[in-house]
Amino acid sequence: MATLVLTTVGTALGGPLGGALGTLAGRALDNAVFGSPKHEGARLKELAVTTSSYGTAIPRHFGTVRTAGSVIWATNLVEHKEKSGGGKGKPKITTYSYTMSFAVALASRPIDGVGRIWADGNLLRGANGDLKVGGSFRIYYGSEHQAPDPLIGSDMGATCPAFRGIAYVVFEDLELADFGNRIPALTFEIFAGESSPELVPLLSDGQEIASGFELEGMTGISHESGSGLALLATIDTGYPLAIDASRGSLGVIGSAIKIATDVVDLPTPIANREGEFGQSTGSKRSRMAGARQTAMCLRYYDKDRDFQPGLQRSRGVAGNGAIETVDFPVGLTADAAHHIAQELAERSMTGRERLAYRVATIDKSIRPGSFVRPQATNTVWQVAG
């Protein structure tokens, strides 16, 4: 026997994401990933800055993002002395300036290019590739065949790594006068792949994943650390997913929000006196607590504002509804962010009813997100697990 977990059409906040061996995407893992329906998703960080800490994860980037990096090599400060004056009774003046060379790792997968660079919040490199201070700049795109940088090689000798598979940049003799004679806090505009990320390339590591799912309005996303499931959980915050892992691996990914078409009629439920529910009927219906309309505020990275954190709020609701803020750490257009905020608000009131329904076997056409009709009812339900 098997049990279907059904929900009223329209998913709860978070959607029916999940999966376990031998099951359809299940609520047990769903809860482990998302917790309660009040789950707020991954945290949106204010723009991080370049670090040089051991053990820092080097992220993967997709689309267009603004990100910090990790310093992986640096020289000592180089002092430059210049004398001026001294003619016709004027005193001689000696001025000092400092430069430094260093490399910054940006991504653990190949990138297409680096655009603008900000140093201490100010533009260091323009869109045309021009540095605003003295020095030179080189990009290594993360090829598995890239050669060692000659400057790093001259410093490290035969032990110099090529950092193959790592996209990084090298600043040579960068003038530091504008930055207090130190390496400034840097953030980089990264171009990686298509301008609009696709779901399967974000996850594929040799798995055969079928998906026609589109991340409409997303302009970029970074996978900084954690498993593919953690990345899916982040995406699911704004784009609810229906995932089939019934064959022991991630198989089919679709949208949990769709029109109720191709409804499958379920067989008569099976009663079981030893079962946990529905001993006489084979089914059990329940409703989640809470019925208050919620307005949603979505925090995201606004591509049109140099990737600064943006905020979009769903349309107002009548009564004394609560306002909930959801962090969605991806790049979005303002229109897409507003649309997602509105959908979050609408889904906060749907999918609150659950129906556990025991059957002998599960029809092969039924997957998470499918629509079904239980026996002796005209009500259409959606498969949550």
Side-chain angles (χ1 to χ4, degrees), residues 27-371:
R27 289 294 299 176
L29 187 55
D30 199 25
N31 288 335
V33 174
F34 295 109
S36 72
K38 290 291 185 179
H39 171 74
E40 296 184 357
R43 295 296 300 274
L44 186 75
K45 300 182 297 184
E46 305 304 321
L47 289 173
V49 294
T50 304
T51 65
S52 58
S53 302
Y54 285 107
T56 300
I58 301 176
R60 299 185 303 146
H61 304 299
F62 302 88
T64 303
V65 301
R66 179 175 173 179
T67 184
S70 298
V71 176
I72 53 177
W73 170 84
T75 64
N76 293 323
L77 284 172
V78 178
E79 185 179 82
H80 303 271
K81 182 169 62 175
E82 182 178 353
K83 294 181 179 180
S84 61
K88 295 183 180 180
K90 294 182 179 179
K92 292 182 179 180
I93 299 175
T94 302
T95 58
Y96 297 88
S97 62
Y98 296 87
T99 61
M100 192 174 189
S101 300
F102 56 95
V104 181
L106 301 177
S108 59
R109 68 183 295 266
I111 63 173
D112 294 334
V114 175
R116 294 167 293 172
I117 301 174
W118 292 265
D120 292 345
N122 298 314
L123 198 63
L124 173 62
R125 182 178 190 255
N128 295 324
D130 54 314
L131 285 178
K132 306 301 182 182
V133 300
S136 60
F137 175 78
R138 293 185 293 280
I139 303 173
Y140 292 86
Y141 297 92
S143 165
E144 292 293 342
H145 306 288
Q146 62 193 15
D149 181 78
L151 179 63
I152 301 177
S154 66
D155 176 58
M156 300 185 66
T159 62
C160 176
F163 301 109
R164 293 189 174 101
I166 301 295
Y168 71 102
V169 296
V170 176
F171 293 91
E172 184 170 352
D173 295 328
L174 185 71
E175 293 183 357
L176 302 178
D178 291 345
F179 314 116
N181 295 321
R182 59 171 176 78
I183 296 178
L186 299 169
T187 53
F188 302 81
E189 182 181 31
I190 306 295
F191 307 114
E194 299 294 331
S195 57
S196 298
E198 297 181 357
L199 183 60
V200 172
L202 268 66
L203 303 170
S204 182
D205 56 357
Q207 301 181 77
E208 294 184 2
I209 303 173
S211 177
F213 193 82
E214 294 186 5
L215 305 172
E216 296 183 6
M218 183 186 291
T219 60
I221 185 172
S222 296
H223 184 198
E224 297 187 0
S225 61
S227 66
L229 184 61
L231 179 61
L232 280 175
T234 297
I235 295 171
D236 180 81
T237 301
Y239 300 91
L241 304 174
I243 298 178
D244 183 359
S246 59
R247 292 169 178 81
S249 62
L250 191 61
V252 180
I253 303 177
S255 173
I257 306 175
K258 54 187 178 181
I259 299 173
T261 58
D262 301 323
V263 179
V264 178
D265 289 317
L266 293 177
T268 302
I270 299 175
N272 182 0
R273 292 183 179 180
E274 304 300 325
E276 297 179 359
F277 68 91
Q279 296 178 357
S280 59
T281 63
S283 65
K284 180 182 180 181
R285 191 165 177 169
S286 61
R287 181 176 178 83
M288 297 171 62
R292 185 172 59 177
Q293 180 73 38
T294 303
M296 291 289 180
C297 287
L298 186 79
R299 296 182 71 238
Y300 65 103
Y301 295 126
D302 192 335
K303 183 176 183 295
D304 297 325
R305 296 178 55 247
D306 294 339
F307 309 95
Q308 297 290 337
L311 185 70
Q312 290 289 334
R313 184 180 180 223
S314 63
R315 293 189 294 272
V317 294
N320 298 319
I323 298 177
E324 185 175 340
T325 299
V326 175
D327 282 355
F328 191 32
V330 305
L332 295 169
T333 62
D335 287 344
H338 183 267
H339 178 72
I340 291 173
Q342 187 60 34
E343 286 192 334
L344 285 171
E346 293 172 358
R347 291 201 302 276
S348 69
M349 285 297 292
T350 60
R352 292 182 174 274
E353 286 194 69
R354 287 286 189 269
L355 176 63
Y357 195 92
R358 188 183 296 112
V359 293
T361 58
I362 298 178
D363 190 313
K364 291 183 179 180
S365 65
I366 296 177
R367 300 179 182 274
S370 297
F371 296 101

